[in-house]
């Protein structure tokens, strides 16, 4: 069951109104900067590593397991940085970036659901690629089904995911795992040896 939200003190009350079921690109930038959910809570990466342009739906019920579902999109631009280097004269979006998009969304779900701490990808049980994303594609769609959600010993979620291009499922991931960690210390001036993860 998704816990009640208990935001840290660095989130002002007006930010609580930003808990919604869809998010624009502008919203995603605010989440990446820490402006929406707070600097001590999970953030999305900022460009060019942000692999999402919009979250069209997020809920804490529904999906294949009844525990939550996320649908999101990334617009494909032939000028995106990875097409020039992966590979020269044979441009393909790296599959690992689609996988990272999956992890970004599961991590976002944790913060959206009220989890505290900074997100870290923890693993994936199985990944399969049955197609490719090329510069001539317009949009890719991510679909995540949340499988499991826990609060202790830390906030953690597992999900299964599929990436679609032109209505065809081409990437598949099972048991993506992401956790939130409250005592990460790299940017606090503390001894990096104290970083717990």
């Amino acid at each position: 069951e998704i816990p009640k939200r208990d935001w840290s003190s660095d989130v002002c009350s007006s930010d609580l109104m930003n808990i919604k079921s869809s998010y624009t690109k502008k919203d995603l930038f605010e989440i990446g900067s820490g402006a929406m959910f707070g600097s001590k809570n999970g953030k999305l990466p900022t460009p060019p590593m942000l692999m999402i342009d919009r979250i069209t739906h997020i809920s804490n019920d529904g999906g294949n397991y009844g525990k939550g579902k996320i649908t999101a999109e990334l617009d494909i631009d032939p000028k995106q940085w990875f097409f020039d280097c992966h590979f020269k004269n044979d441009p393909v979006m790296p599959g690992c970036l689609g996988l990272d998009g999956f992890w970004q969304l599961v991590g976002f779900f944790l913060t959206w659901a009220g989890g505290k701490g900074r997100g870290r990808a923890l693993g994936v049980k199985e990944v399969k690629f049955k197609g490719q994303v090329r510069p001539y594609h317009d949009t890719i769609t991510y679909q995540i089904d949340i499988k499991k959600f826990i609060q202790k010993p830390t906030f953690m979620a597992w999900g299964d995911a599929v990436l679609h291009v032109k209505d065809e499922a081409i990437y598949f991931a099972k048991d993506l795992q992401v956790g939130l960690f409250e005592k990460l210390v790299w940017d606090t001036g503390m001894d990096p040896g104290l970083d717990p993860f």
Side-chain angles (χ1 to χ4, degrees):
E1 183 175 318
I2 302 301
K4 291 182 180 176
R5 295 180 178 88
D6 179 21
W7 301 101
S8 66
S9 58
D10 70 335
V11 180
C12 66
S13 59
S14 64
D15 289 334
L16 297 179
M17 297 176 69
N18 291 321
I19 309 304
K20 48 193 180 180
S21 62
S22 63
Y23 292 82
T24 65
K25 192 168 190 174
K26 180 177 180 282
D27 293 334
L28 300 183
F29 289 165
E30 288 182 9
I31 294 162
S33 72
M36 188 173 287
F37 294 132
S39 61
K40 295 180 183 177
N41 290 315
K43 298 181 195 133
L44 287 167
T46 56
M49 275 306 297
L50 179 64
M51 294 304 298
I52 309 155
D53 278 321
R54 70 197 66 84
I55 295 173
T56 57
H57 176 76
I58 182 168
S59 63
N60 60 12
D61 56 12
N64 290 339
Y65 306 100
K67 298 183 183 292
K69 185 171 182 72
I70 311 163
T71 305
E73 296 175 337
L74 173 70
D75 296 326
I76 300 302
D77 181 340
K79 295 180 181 174
Q80 280 167 310
W81 63 274
F82 45 78
F83 284 132
D84 188 50
C85 57
H86 188 276
F87 302 94
K88 206 71 181 171
N89 301 319
D90 180 23
V92 181
M93 185 179 98
C96 60
L97 293 181
L99 178 61
D100 203 72
F102 291 155
W103 274 318
Q104 290 174 24
L105 288 163
V106 175
F108 174 75
F109 179 87
L110 282 169
T111 299
W112 175 86
K116 291 184 177 180
R118 297 173 182 185
R120 295 295 185 265
L122 299 175
V124 61
K125 187 174 184 180
E126 182 180 306
V127 178
K128 289 185 180 178
F129 301 110
K130 294 188 175 181
Q132 60 187 344
V133 179
R134 291 286 206 174
Y136 53 75
H137 289 126
D138 294 323
T139 304
I140 61 174
T141 302
Y142 300 97
Q143 290 184 323
I144 314 277
D145 292 298
I146 299 299
K147 220 171 169 180
K148 184 178 178 185
F149 181 96
I150 64 171
Q151 301 175 54
K152 293 180 181 180
T154 187
F155 281 88
M156 209 169 291
W158 290 258
D160 291 347
V162 180
L163 183 148
H164 292 83
V165 64
K166 291 184 121 181
D167 297 323
E168 182 181 349
I170 62 167
Y171 295 6
F172 305 83
K174 289 184 184 266
D175 289 322
L176 295 146
Q177 183 182 9
V178 179
L180 296 180
F181 299 88
E182 292 192 73
K183 297 181 180 177
L184 300 179
V185 299
W186 178 255
D187 61 346
T188 63
M190 295 175 66
D191 178 358
L194 300 175
D195 216 342
F197 179 78

